[in-house]
Amino acid sequence: MRAPLSWLRDFAPFGDDVAHLTATLDDIGLVVEGLERVGEGLDAVVVAEVLDIAPIAGADRIRRVVVEAGDGPVEIVCGAANFAVGDRVPLAVVGAVLPGGFEIARRTLRGVTSNGMLCSGRELGLSDDGEGLLVLTGVDGAEPGLPLAEVLGVERDVVFDLTVEGNRPDAWCMAGVARHLAARLGLPFSLPEPAPALAPGPPVGELASVRLDAPDLCPRITLRVLEGVRVGPSPRWLARRLSLAGMRPINNVVDASNYVMLERGQPTHPYDRLRLGGSGLVVRPARRGETLETLDGVRRTLGGRPAGRGTDGGDCVIADAHDEPVGVAGVIGGASSEITEATSSVLLETAYFAPMAIARTSRWLGVRTEASARFERGVDPWGLDAAAARFCELVALSAPGATLAEGTLEATGTVPEPFAVAVDLAKVNGLLGTALGPDQVGALLEPLGFGCTPVGAGVAVTVPTSRPDVRRGSHGVADVVEEVARAYGYDRLPRRQPSWPAPGGLSAYQRSRRAAREALVGAGAGEVMTGSLVAADDHRRVGLDGRAVEVANPLVSDEAFLRRSLMPGLLRALAWNVDRRQGEVRLFEVGVVFDHPADGGARVVERSGSGGAVRTELPAEHERLAALLALADDDARSAVGAYGVVVEALRLGPLALAAPGNGGGRGVPPGLHPTRSAWVVAPGGPVVGAVGEIDPAVAGGFGLPTARIGWVELDLGLVLDPVVVPRRTESVRPVSRFPSSDVDLALVVPDPVPAARVLETLRAAGGDLLESVDLFDVFRGPSLGAGVRSLAFRLRFCALDRTLTDAEVGSLRAACIEAVAPLGAVLR
């Protein structure tokens, strides 16, 4: 938004220190993106009359021009060609410094001395036209020798190009910017009441009518009627201010409406009353399919947007008294009743519209206007009368013979009213690190239009209707604290080091989850992310009974249920790869699954709803890790291997693989093969996952071939809970700098004795000097006899402080052989 300093000074006595004003605007959140200085460099530019134009020998692009600027003929060399003898043009005399620091000097070109420069609008910073001179012929008062700034009414000014955020509706106007700036600088701010400037006319009810059929879309609308209006140019100062603010002047009526919008933030809409059917307005919802030609010459179809939530009932239309649409409420007017040069009777509409309804209509139609930008952020519903009075005051400046119909027509629904927010000063000071008292908070907020009354240990802050950005209840407290911080000054807030003793980092759960991911990546799997919404049949296809949570607004109508398993998404991802001949993949996902509250999976939330007073049951959420193994040789054994990789990476304690039906009343894991799958069971019996192969019937249901597909699934919330699944302790052995000794033992062991039992016995017998023990060979054959097999172990002995002697190694070897003898193991 462009804000001229001269306009801001209408509300507060701001000084000339532009750098200080810029820094203050930045500090209160109205960031100055650019700065334009208007009128500088025109001090030595005067009006000159062209007396003679002659060619210069040997020059094609420049001519000799003689002008009269009040002190006698002046010879100039000029390259422009858009003027003739008798025209009035601007002359920058020798020594003038034009905008941008360009200094005019006396120069000689082709033997002709140029004693100044004739200027274009671009060179003077008055327009973007640089093709020719700024011709002043016909401009009132453009007499030779007069200063150009005086003739054009150009005053020195500074225009701030501000970035106003969407949550600052009060600052989308000159008065709002001036209020915030004056409050920070401690200057008096005033919003002058418009003076009645038009003679009274007949009662407004005799000239117009209004009916409100959509009070939810338009809670308040007022109408005024001006008769005897003469449409023409606006006063020069008004047109200049509009131009500086970035808006093109059109005529005195439209300009007055735009001026009020920029000044007070309240859009108004003037209609040619005599072109309105029935000389009245009706505010109603749009009907599907009705059309309207808008002011931009486009015929638009209305009523196609579905109603939104809350009070948004669809598109809002302004119709005439015969029910024909004449405008899209709050967005853009219709061409049928626009102001023209023939207009003599003006009906002025001033309204407050539901912000979200305007925002949705604007986006639906693809039309964004200055009015819609303000309506969708919220305007002051009780500021309509002052805005209408200001419009009439401005029209009277250029149409003094006009009359204003007596009274105002008004129609209202439920209009927002001021409300109070109870703010605890301990909350304010705790958030900001300040020690503000009630009087200090009041001194900061009252200049911004808030009311403040000390109450107990806090302040009751009355929020005016001009501040729709401040919410009610607990959210409003945060909004008020933000307003206090902005008014106090962010740069004045004390700075403190964070109070926590350690820097942030990953939690133990997050580190473990990352380790599981890295383990599966190391096993050749790629991580994928599938949708959390699945189709109604997906759960049935993977063997899951019971209900799933259905969402009310799914992105895809066929996928409306929160997933209860990661299997449907991963199978679909595999099918997608198979369709593209890339079926040999390994995929895994870490994601959340949901249980229906009615099936015992409720997650109770005590604080929900307005003010946190509602007790709500939400679906229980479980984070799971699942891997799908579909390489050519993958099967249940590959799944067990991948499962082991994860278990080892997480150092999980004793977990068991329990076959379906093996006690505990457990059936087949959903979606898995009945004879090639197992449950993962933690100590004490809780199931924490499943391992095996996808049932071929399940794979076929997703369009996959019947080849074997491995599956691993773990409930991360359970397996990473040390109470449910203990972690193995970490033992660290220093690396010895002395050489080690290897001993190989081939032991004949009865078949019923597990190899793991023999290994643990050897480990215990080797003591602290046994660095490692590994089983490296298993042999069965007739030479050994029936019921036995040969287990070959390699034992590595090493000391930390010396090299072991042969006698020591021999003694250790004998101790190990003797230790396994009770198991029936005999040295081969």
Side-chain angles (χ1 to χ4, degrees):
M1 185 179 80
R2 292 170 57 87
L5 178 58
S6 61
W7 203 339
L8 299 178
R9 283 175 173 157
D10 285 358
F11 308 99
F14 298 115
D16 295 324
D17 190 344
V18 176
H20 181 52
L21 294 176
T22 299
T24 305
L25 287 168
D26 288 340
D27 195 44
I28 61 178
L30 304 176
V31 179
V32 180
E33 298 288 353
L35 199 67
E36 179 181 343
R37 298 179 182 273
V38 179
E40 289 191 351
L42 301 183
D43 296 338
V45 181
V46 297
V47 177
E49 181 180 359
V50 178
L51 301 179
D52 182 53
I53 302 174
I56 298 177
D60 297 330
R61 298 185 179 181
I62 56 176
R63 296 182 295 174
R64 173 182 174 275
V65 181
V66 178
V67 298
E68 169 61 50
D71 293 327
V74 178
E75 187 178 57
I76 304 290
V77 175
C78 180
N82 66 321
F83 62 97
V85 173
D87 281 338
R88 309 290 170 89
V89 293
L91 168 66
V93 301
V94 174
V97 180
L98 298 183
F102 181 65
E103 183 175 358
I104 304 302
R106 181 176 288 105
R107 296 185 301 167
T108 301
L109 293 88
R110 297 284 185 176
V112 179
T113 301
S114 184
N115 299 288
M117 186 177 82
L118 304 182
C119 305
S120 67
R122 179 187 298 173
E123 290 163 339
L124 297 173
L126 299 177
S127 71
D128 293 330
D129 185 7
E131 296 298 323
L133 300 186
L134 177 64
V135 178
L136 304 171
T137 305
V139 175
D140 293 340
E143 297 297 328
L146 291 180
L148 179 66
E150 177 184 329
V151 172
L152 297 181
V154 176
E155 301 176 3
R156 285 199 175 193
D157 208 342
V158 175
V159 180
F160 300 99
D161 189 358
L162 305 177
T163 294
V164 183
E165 300 298 334
N167 64 341
R168 302 287 303 276
D170 58 303
W172 276 64
C173 62
M174 304 301 163
V177 172
R179 183 191 293 272
H180 283 278
L181 188 57
R184 169 57 67 84
L185 297 176
L187 299 175
F189 171 86
S190 62
L191 191 64
E193 288 295 326
L198 293 174
V204 67
E206 297 178 2
L207 301 175
S209 64
V210 64
R211 190 175 83 240
L212 184 58
D213 293 346
D216 55 335
L217 299 175
C218 177
R220 185 172 186 235
I221 183 172
T222 67
L223 299 186
R224 291 195 177 188
V225 176
L226 291 77
E227 292 286 287
V229 175
R230 183 175 179 180
V231 177
S234 295
R236 180 178 293 176
W237 67 268
L238 191 152
R240 175 177 173 272
R241 280 192 173 178
L242 288 178
S243 297
L244 291 178
M247 190 164 283
R248 179 175 60 89
I250 298 175
N251 58 55
N252 56 342
V253 175
V254 176
D255 292 350
S257 176
N258 290 334
Y259 191 94
V260 171
M261 177 179 65
L262 295 178
E263 181 180 73
R264 307 210 171 200
Q266 171 63 56
T268 62
H269 193 105
Y271 298 84
D272 188 327
R273 184 181 69 86
L274 301 181
R275 299 175 66 187
L276 284 173
S279 296
L281 295 182
V282 176
V283 185
R284 60 170 175 80
R287 301 189 183 100
R288 183 174 294 275
E290 67 180 339
T291 62
L292 168 69
E293 183 181 348
T294 51
L295 287 171
D296 56 1
V298 178
R299 179 158 293 277
R300 305 183 186 277
T301 301
L302 309 177
R305 181 178 69 80
R309 297 181 180 179
T311 61
D312 179 13
D315 297 328
C316 185
V317 161
I318 305 295
D320 60 22
H322 296 160
D323 210 30
E324 290 296 322
V326 294
V328 182
V331 179
I332 189 170
S336 62
S337 56
E338 68 175 319
I339 301 298
T340 66
E341 293 182 356
T343 299
S344 60
S345 180
V346 175
L347 185 147
L348 179 69
E349 165 225 312
T350 313
Y352 168 74
F353 299 104
M356 286 309 300
I358 302 304
R360 291 193 175 101
T361 296
S362 177
R363 285 196 295 270
W364 179 264
L365 295 178
V367 179
R368 183 171 178 81
T369 60
E370 291 286 345
S372 69
R374 287 163 173 80
F375 277 128
E376 69 185 33
R377 285 165 173 79
V379 300
D380 184 1
W382 298 109
L384 308 186
D385 302 304
R390 179 62 165 153
F391 172 88
C392 297
E393 181 183 31
L394 294 175
V395 171
L397 298 177
S398 56
T403 60
L404 176 63
E406 183 179 353
T408 300
L409 292 177
E410 180 178 359
T412 61
T414 302
V415 185
E417 298 284 352
F419 61 91
V421 176
V423 180
D424 187 352
L425 289 182
K427 176 80 168 178
V428 176
N429 292 321
L431 289 172
L432 303 183
T434 54
L436 300 175
D439 293 339
Q440 292 170 293
V441 171
L444 293 172
L445 294 179
E446 287 173 352
L448 301 178
F450 295 90
C452 294
T453 305
V455 177
V459 178
V461 178
T462 302
V463 180
T465 54
S466 61
R467 294 303 303 269
D469 55 309
V470 179
R471 298 162 290 181
R472 296 175 181 267
S474 58
H475 298 298
V477 175
D479 295 334
V480 171
V481 173
E482 179 183 352
E483 207 65 32
V484 171
R486 187 162 38 236
Y488 183 77
Y490 291 109
D491 58 338
R492 296 175 58 194
L493 295 178
R495 299 185 179 186
R496 292 182 173 88
Q497 293 293 332
S499 58
W500 53 85
L506 296 177
S507 66
Y509 182 92
Q510 291 170 326
R511 287 195 298 270
S512 297
R513 181 173 56 191
R514 182 172 292 184
R517 281 190 168 109
E518 292 173 351
L520 286 174
V521 170
E527 185 173 8
V528 299
M529 182 182 295
T530 64
S532 58
L533 294 174
V534 298
D537 291 341
D538 283 346
H539 290 130
R540 178 187 54 79
R541 290 176 182 172
V542 298
L544 285 173
D545 298 326
R547 289 184 293 177
V549 178
E550 184 176 5
V551 299
N553 56 341
L555 297 176
V556 180
S557 60
D558 294 339
E559 298 177 356
F561 295 88
L562 291 175
R563 64 186 177 189
R564 298 174 57 204
S565 168
L566 300 180
M567 188 177 291
L570 286 172
L571 288 175
R572 288 190 183 280
L574 178 59
W576 193 90
N577 281 273
V578 169
D579 289 343
R580 288 152 182 81
R581 300 182 182 181
Q582 299 294 327
E584 291 197 16
V585 294
R586 286 181 170 180
L587 307 175
F588 79 92
E589 179 176 11
V590 177
V592 176
V593 299
F594 306 86
D595 291 340
H596 197 286
D599 295 336
R603 177 167 59 92
V604 177
V605 179
E606 296 290 348
R607 297 180 60 188
S608 65
S610 178
V614 180
R615 182 178 183 274
T616 304
E617 288 188 350
L618 299 177
E621 301 179 10
H622 309 279
E623 187 171 44
R624 293 186 180 172
L625 175 139
L628 196 68
L629 312 176
L631 295 181
D633 55 351
D634 279 338
D635 55 11
R637 291 173 298 178
S638 303
V640 172
Y643 159 77
V645 168
V646 175
V647 169
E648 186 63 30
L650 298 179
R651 297 181 294 102
L652 298 179
L655 291 173
L657 297 181
N662 186 15
R666 305 184 190 96
V668 178
L672 297 188
H673 195 288
T675 63
R676 299 179 65 85
S677 61
W679 294 99
V680 181
V681 183
V687 173
V688 297
V691 180
E693 290 179 7
I694 300 293
D695 191 317
V698 173
F702 287 86
L704 291 168
T706 57
R708 291 180 174 179
I709 303 170
W711 176 260
V712 181
E713 183 174 5
L714 294 173
D715 188 322
L716 288 180
L718 293 177
V719 299
L720 298 183
D721 185 346
V723 176
V724 179
V725 182
R727 299 292 185 92
R728 298 197 306 270
T729 57
E730 287 188 274
S731 59
V732 178
R733 175 185 173 93
V735 177
S736 176
R737 62 188 181 91
F738 298 97
S740 60
S741 298
D742 289 349
V743 174
D744 291 345
L745 296 178
L747 303 172
V748 178
V749 182
D751 283 340
V753 178
R757 187 177 176 187
V758 179
L759 186 146
E760 291 302 323
T761 303
L762 291 172
R763 190 188 303 277
D768 294 338
L769 295 178
L770 180 62
E771 186 176 89
S772 65
V773 56
D774 297 301
L775 174 67
F776 66 87
D777 185 59
V778 178
F779 172 74
R780 285 183 174 89
S783 61
L784 297 179
V788 295
R789 82 274 197 200
S790 173
L791 302 178
F793 295 92
R794 176 164 294 149
L795 291 77
R796 175 166 294 176
F797 297 97
C798 187
L800 296 176
D801 57 350
R802 68 189 188 282
T803 300
L804 295 176
T805 64
D806 291 342
E808 287 177 310
V809 174
S811 176
L812 290 169
R813 178 178 182 274
C816 290
I817 295 172
E818 182 180 355
V820 297
L823 301 178
V826 179
L827 185 65
R828 182 179 171 188

